[in-house]
Amino acid sequence: MLTSEEEPQPRESDPLLKSFPPPTEGAAGGDDGVDDVVLTGCGGSMACDPRRALHRYLILIVMCFLSFGSYFCYDNPAALQDTMEADLEITTSQFMSFYAWYSWPNVILCFFGGFLIDRVFGIRLGAIIFSLFVTAGQVLFATGALLKSLWLMDLARFIFGVGGESLAVAQNTYAVDWFKGKELNMVFGLQLSFSRVGSTVNMNVMQPLYKLMSQFYEGYTCLGVTLFIACATCIFSLICALVIAYFDKRAERILKKETAETGEVIKLKDIKDFPLTMWLICVICVAYYVAIFPFIGLGLVFFEMKYTFHPSSANAVNSLVYIISAAASPVFGFCIDKSGKNLFWVNAGIIITLGCHACLAFTFINPYIPMSIMGLAYSILASALWPMVSLVVPEYQLGTAYGIIQSVQNLGLAVISLVAGIIVDGHGYLMLELFFLAWLCLSLIAGVLLYLVDAARGGVLNRSARKRRLLEKALEEKSVN
């Protein structure tokens, strides 16, 4: 699943950050043009005043829970792989189709999700509609399990996928609307971490929940009931969408601000103008991520079989990448902002991940070690890779560039998920690890080529943060003169 960390952080030059006047810190009423009557419903308290930091931080809590259900339920199959395959009597390749069907709609929706929010639904209605898609998809997924209907479960994951990625776009748009300047980076980091919390909770809760339900139900009925209980997280997120829509509408009326937009302008004609460096970044992204998410999707049984772990222990180690990245992503993002050298960090992340997969494939070292290190490497790469697009593509083409990368990434995840399942069915997990190692080698080759091409063009991607600041300052002085 395309996680929030893969969304570009809006830059200060982004028109979204200039669209709305900053909230004032004065009391309600007075010269700021705010109607006192609007605030009287809650006594004009700081918690109810949208101009106050306290109110915005309360909204931030709701905002973080907006996609909690989506991230929690996305990896429901990974947390229940062994029981799903046994209860539904399906092969591993059929199991991995649940991930493929999630990714298929997002091959296209990466281009149109922002457009639907900006031009068709609006952010408030859009977030509610996409939350409904997520909830409906999970309900149908549980119903399919209850009826032992594989086609219905595949359809459900398709519907779930329609809502999941676009809901993340709506969440990011809310973040831009409510938080400006320095706060915005903190908010994006918090949302990234919280998304991984949802995945981590899922990995560690679903197996015990299934075991509890097995006292009352058996087989696929037990599986269906367990998945129905997981629907509660999607319903909770839908309630959050309704709550934030109310307060956003209220803030719009009080502050007399314009409706927020995603700022994603997708123009396919721009593709012909993309430099080679942009396409190499695209290759790195796809080749790296297909060795992470499909691996986690199949990790439960891998750790059970190779290390003879109990399902709960297997889920715990399988969730380490999410746990580590939740804490490490904001830290590495800050470090890379201060140091620059994005390309160095990207290649370092790939090499470290290669070593972790090699340890899992060829050694019996405690898997907690390579999985923890993989979480760090994943955080490094994600923090360094996505900002590089803005360094090689003009700002007016960024929407198209990120749309292309996300579309190709989802296509790769959909195809590789199916292929990974077929490999496990036919050749086992050792061959699967070799398959993932091959993709990481491809990612590293693309990283080395990117370094060479970038060096020949002036080394834009591997400049230190200090050199970038000096260059920006020189350009500003030149434009003034």
Side-chain angles (χ1 to χ4, degrees):
M1 179 182 184
L2 192 64
T3 64
S4 301
E5 76 233 24
E6 292 147 16
E7 293 290 334
Q9 291 192 3
R11 301 183 297 175
E12 291 184 0
S13 59
D14 194 316
L16 283 174
L17 302 182
K18 301 178 180 179
S19 299
F20 315 122
T24 61
E25 294 298 331
D31 297 332
D32 55 13
V34 178
D35 189 354
D36 288 329
V37 178
V38 181
L39 298 174
T40 56
C42 55
S45 67
M46 294 176 63
C48 295
D49 188 344
R51 299 165 300 167
R52 301 285 189 170
L54 177 60
H55 180 81
R56 287 184 285 116
Y57 291 142
L58 291 174
I59 292 297
L60 176 59
I61 296 174
V62 180
M63 197 181 298
C64 287
F65 278 107
L66 184 61
S67 61
F68 181 84
S70 173
Y71 283 102
F72 181 91
C73 292
Y74 169 76
D75 267 325
N76 275 176
L80 296 169
Q81 181 190 350
D82 51 355
T83 54
M84 274 192 174
E85 291 181 2
D87 292 347
L88 299 174
E89 299 177 351
I90 58 176
T91 63
T92 303
S93 59
Q94 289 174 312
F95 167 81
M96 288 302 289
S97 70
F98 297 148
Y99 286 96
W101 280 103
Y102 175 91
S103 295
W104 288 126
N106 293 299
V107 175
I108 303 298
L109 279 175
C110 288
F111 292 101
F112 299 109
F115 172 80
L116 290 173
I117 291 174
D118 288 347
R119 302 288 183 262
V120 181
F121 302 132
I123 180 176
R124 291 183 287 268
L125 181 59
I128 293 170
I129 289 175
F130 292 130
S131 293
L132 284 169
F133 268 97
V134 168
T135 304
Q138 182 64 16
V139 169
L140 281 178
F141 190 62
T143 303
L146 204 60
L147 300 176
K148 201 178 181 181
S149 174
L150 185 62
W151 72 266
L152 182 57
M153 296 179 77
D154 285 336
L155 174 62
R157 290 291 284 187
F158 183 91
I159 295 172
F160 187 89
V162 168
E165 296 296 315
S166 296
L167 183 60
V169 173
Q171 184 182 39
N172 290 333
T173 309
Y174 269 132
V176 172
D177 187 25
W178 281 83
F179 297 90
K180 281 81 173 177
K182 295 180 181 179
E183 284 181 326
L184 188 61
N185 292 321
M186 178 273 292
V187 169
F188 267 77
L190 185 60
Q191 286 187 169
L192 298 179
S193 299
F194 207 81
S195 67
R196 290 303 168 215
V197 170
S199 301
T200 303
V201 172
N202 159 75
M203 290 287 191
N204 291 279
V205 164
M206 291 305 290
Q207 277 286 352
L209 180 60
Y210 178 88
K211 186 176 181 180
L212 177 64
M213 291 299 104
S214 65
Q215 300 177 16
F216 310 98
Y217 306 95
E218 294 182 353
Y220 58 85
T221 303
C222 179
L223 177 63
V225 171
T226 303
L227 293 173
F228 264 118
I229 295 175
C231 293
T233 61
C234 295
I235 296 172
F236 176 67
S237 290
L238 175 59
I239 294 172
C240 289
L242 294 170
V243 170
I244 197 171
Y246 167 78
F247 282 103
D248 188 67
K249 179 68 174 177
R250 176 176 176 272
E252 181 181 273
R253 184 174 69 253
I254 293 172
L255 302 178
K256 298 179 175 61
K257 64 180 181 179
E258 299 176 11
T259 303
E261 294 185 352
T262 66
E264 295 183 4
V265 181
I266 308 297
K267 297 179 180 177
L268 296 181
K269 66 180 181 180
D270 291 339
I271 294 176
K272 65 181 182 353
D273 300 323
F274 288 158
L276 176 60
T277 48
M278 158 65 189
W279 296 113
L280 288 172
I281 291 173
C282 190
V283 173
I284 293 171
C285 174
V286 175
Y288 183 86
Y289 277 90
V290 297
I292 298 295
F293 292 117
F295 171 73
I296 293 174
L298 291 167
L300 175 65
V301 174
F302 171 75
F303 292 116
E304 288 178 350
M305 292 179 63
K306 180 170 182 176
Y307 300 95
T308 63
F309 280 178
H310 185 272
S312 59
S313 299
N315 262 328
V317 70
N318 199 31
S319 66
L320 275 176
V321 172
Y322 290 151
I323 296 173
I324 299 296
S325 66
S329 290
V331 176
F332 281 118
F334 176 80
C335 293
I336 294 169
D337 281 340
K338 294 298 182 182
S339 67
K341 301 284 186 180
N342 290 60
L343 197 46
F344 165 80
W345 289 105
V346 166
N347 285 326
I350 297 171
I351 293 171
I352 295 171
T353 306
L354 253 171
C356 293
H357 269 287
C359 285
L360 292 170
F362 304 119
T363 74
F364 281 87
I365 188 173
N366 190 319
Y368 281 90
I369 297 174
M371 289 297 286
S372 297
I373 297 174
M374 190 185 299
L376 294 173
Y378 169 60
S379 301
I380 291 172
L381 182 129
S383 299
L385 179 69
W386 293 93
M388 288 201 306
V389 180
S390 64
L391 299 176
V392 300
V393 175
E395 185 172 350
Y396 70 91
Q397 293 179 333
L398 281 179
T400 305
Y402 281 114
I404 287 290
I405 294 178
Q406 290 170 2
S407 178
V408 175
Q409 183 191 40
N410 276 286
L411 178 61
L413 288 172
V415 174
I416 297 305
S417 293
L418 294 175
V419 174
I422 294 172
I423 290 174
V424 171
D425 285 335
H427 305 284
Y429 280 93
L430 177 59
M431 190 60 67
L432 178 68
E433 277 291 9
L434 295 175
F435 179 67
F436 289 143
L437 285 169
W439 278 104
L440 288 169
C441 287
L442 175 61
S443 183
L444 183 59
I445 291 170
V448 173
L449 288 175
L450 181 60
Y451 175 82
L452 295 175
V453 172
D454 179 63
R457 298 183 179 184
V460 175
L461 297 178
N462 219 33
R463 285 187 184 134
S464 66
R466 180 176 177 273
K467 286 184 178 180
R468 286 175 185 166
R469 287 194 297 269
L470 291 174
L471 181 61
E472 290 175 0
K473 184 178 180 180
L475 291 173
E476 289 177 1
E477 292 175 352
K478 184 178 179 179
S479 64
V480 171
N481 296 331

